[in-house]
Amino acid sequence: MLYNHFTHLKATERISVGGEELCNAMLTTPLKPNYVFVINDYLGFGLTENRPQAYLCGKTNARNSLDGLLAAWKLMNDYNISQGKYLFNMGYSQGGTESMFAARLCDEEYKDKGITFDKTFSGGGPLDFEKVYTEMVRIGCTSIPSAVVLMLVSMNENYHMGLNYKEVFQDPIASHIDDWILSKAYSEGELRKMIGSDSLKHFLQPAYIS
């Protein structure tokens, strides 16, 4: 099973230090021996922790996941571990988005490498960013303010959009992008408290909510 993990903001929450706990939470005991999980740190964690997180940068993270799957297959072959009969692609929240990008990229570029998913399970992901953002603006709030901030920062950093954060965010977020977001020092819950409100007008500039 290729598992695309949910949102993490804090470096110490990265999958490479907590993947076993996640697998234990996902499957009941009788099923565990029947599955091999492949779970990757997305760009910005693990070996690439010195780079900004590529949050919801779908194709980038999909490539990481598929390349990780190929590396896992090689490791399994080296140790004579069976790859099994089925290959599943799964994710929820951010992982729901990433699982769909992985399925698409697999069809576009990885079929000749032997990757064919039997099933893809995608849940709770913002698959259409424009519609999700427009709906948040319509209602004027969000249940995960830290994810909105992280999305805008990640896309600006990874796609080199050149946005001035003072023109995007209200203070205190605008003055703390480096130490609150790019540092990866705080969890989603911690950052939500620091932002202080679920109302978009509390942390976004008017141009981004009009």
Side-chain angles (χ1 to χ4, degrees), residues 12-25:
T12 55
E13 296 175 335
R14 68 188 186 277
I15 286 299
S16 55
V17 296
E20 183 177 355
E21 180 180 341
L22 177 62
C23 295
N24 288 339

Side-chain angles (χ1 to χ4, degrees), residues 27-47:
L27 290 177
T28 59
T29 301
L31 289 176
K32 288 176 190 174
N34 299 325
Y35 284 83
V36 173
F37 280 84
V38 178
I39 313 175
N40 298 280
D41 289 326
Y42 299 143
L43 184 69
F45 289 111
L47 295 177

Side-chain angles (χ1 to χ4, degrees), residues 68-81:
L69 179 61
L70 293 174
W73 279 353
K74 183 179 185 306
L75 185 65
M76 292 169 69
N77 288 336
D78 290 345
Y79 284 89
N80 295 316
I81 299 173

Side-chain angles (χ1 to χ4, degrees), residues 10 56 68 71 121 124 164 182:
K10 195 173 185 176
L56 294 177
F121 302 91
N164 181 336
L182 296 177

Side-chain angles (χ1 to χ4, degrees), residues 3-19 22 39-45 53-55 93-95 146-147 150 154 181 184 186-188:
Y3 183 80
N4 304 272
H5 71 74
F6 48 78
T7 300
H8 291 127
L9 281 74
K10 195 173 185 176
T12 55
E13 296 175 335
R14 68 188 186 277
I15 286 299
S16 55
V17 296
L22 177 62
I39 313 175
N40 298 280
D41 289 326
Y42 299 143
L43 184 69
F45 289 111
Q53 182 182 169
Y55 183 64
S93 189
Q94 179 189 6
S146 53
L150 181 60
S154 291
I181 307 297
K184 308 186 188 89
Y186 299 99
S187 68
E188 188 279 321

Side-chain angles (χ1 to χ4, degrees), residues 51-117:
R51 298 182 60 176
Q53 182 182 169
Y55 183 64
L56 294 177
C57 298
K59 193 171 185 178
T60 298
N61 293 323
R63 193 175 302 283
N64 285 354
S65 291
L66 295 173
D67 287 347
L69 179 61
L70 293 174
W73 279 353
K74 183 179 185 306
L75 185 65
M76 292 169 69
N77 288 336
D78 290 345
Y79 284 89
N80 295 316
I81 299 173
S82 172
Q83 294 178 14
K85 184 177 180 181
Y86 300 108
L87 176 61
F88 299 136
N89 172 36
M90 181 178 182
Y92 184 79
S93 189
Q94 179 189 6
T97 299
E98 305 299 355
S99 67
M100 295 303 289
F101 273 98
R104 178 176 178 176
L105 188 63
C106 179
D107 286 343
E108 293 174 345
E109 299 183 22
Y110 282 76
K111 283 295 181 68
D112 62 341
K113 301 181 186 298
I115 300 178
T116 301
F117 294 121

